[in-house]
Amino acid sequence: MTHKILRIDSSIKSEGSISRQLSDDILARLKSSYQNAEVVTRDLGANPLPPTDAHWLGSFATPVDERSPAQAETVALSDTLIAEIKDADTILIGLPIYNFAAPAQLKTWLDQMARAGETFRYSETGPEGLVKNTRAIIAFSSNGTRLGSDIDFASKYVRHMLGFFGITDVQFVASDHYAIDADSSLKAANEGVAAIAA
């Protein structure tokens, strides 16, 4: 059976990105565990998604047969993004820390998919995620914002949003003090990669 991996890169750096390198290492680890892995890559740093603005909201509010070509295209993109996460067995997300938070382009990706009836629904007991049996591995990189610290406003948010969609099996691999001690930071990240189980 094919193991489907969705890779999300969000670094604005095309070269020298720690989160991209860490994602490369994690992906290699996953491929060694799943010989029949199939990978879909979406590079949000190189190809940012359009914002969830008034046009985006209006596109979904407009009946299907009344949508303009631009509105139909907007809805189709969101549908594609949702289909990608629903189809994936594992989602690999590169999470570089920018100003103590997640990159804007990664938040836009999450916003595009936060659609009632598609990735979550409201029930009598509260919201319920609709993306089931999916695992997420987060490649967390920072020059000095430690994973889970008081100034880390990214990891908890990303974990919460994934959980909101129903993805609760979330693992972080971190290189989180690169500017302070590059060798130690990379050593910890390598140990995290090695600990990833199939």
Side-chain angles (χ1 to χ4, degrees):
M1 182 181 295
T2 300
H3 187 89
K4 297 182 178 181
I5 301 169
L6 172 62
R7 174 174 175 168
I8 303 295
D9 286 305
S10 62
S11 174
I12 57 176
K13 295 180 180 178
S14 58
E15 302 290 338
S17 165
I18 299 300
S19 68
R20 289 181 186 273
Q21 181 58 57
L22 192 50
S23 292
D24 286 345
D25 294 343
I26 294 170
L27 184 58
R29 174 73 173 176
L30 291 172
K31 284 183 173 180
S32 71
S33 298
Y34 302 105
Q35 298 297 322
N36 55 350
E38 178 181 298
V39 183
V40 171
T41 299
R42 187 167 286 276
D43 191 337
L44 306 177
N47 300 289
L49 297 169
T52 50
D53 53 12
H55 166 76
W56 185 90
L57 190 62
S59 297
F60 291 98
T62 303
V64 175
D65 58 354
E66 297 178 17
R67 287 172 183 162
S68 68
Q71 288 176 322
E73 183 177 350
T74 293
V75 173
L77 173 59
S78 183
D79 286 344
T80 297
L81 297 171
I82 290 172
E84 286 175 352
I85 67 166
K86 285 185 174 180
D87 195 43
D89 298 299
T90 299
I91 302 174
L92 170 58
I93 300 175
L95 175 57
I97 303 306
Y98 295 163
N99 302 318
F100 313 105
Q105 51 270 24
L106 182 59
K107 184 179 186 303
T108 298
W109 178 71
L110 292 166
D111 287 344
Q112 282 274 0
M113 292 183 296
R115 287 169 50 195
E118 294 291 342
T119 51
F120 72 95
R121 72 180 183 93
Y122 290 112
S123 68
E124 294 179 354
T125 57
E128 175 191 353
L130 300 177
V131 183
K132 307 293 186 181
N133 304 314
T134 301
R135 173 191 191 189
I137 302 174
I138 315 297
F140 181 103
S141 69
S142 172
N143 280 331
T145 300
R146 298 280 188 153
L147 175 67
S149 68
D150 290 343
I151 59 172
D152 167 20
F153 301 103
S155 65
K156 185 177 180 180
Y157 166 73
V158 171
R159 183 190 292 275
H160 176 80
M161 287 302 299
L162 292 174
F164 186 68
F165 299 153
I167 303 169
T168 56
D169 183 359
V170 180
Q171 178 180 357
F172 285 83
V173 177
S175 171
D176 59 5
H177 53 289
Y178 188 80
I180 299 169
D181 186 341
D183 290 341
S184 171
S185 185
L186 293 176
K187 181 176 183 293
N190 290 335
E191 289 173 352
V193 172
I196 294 173

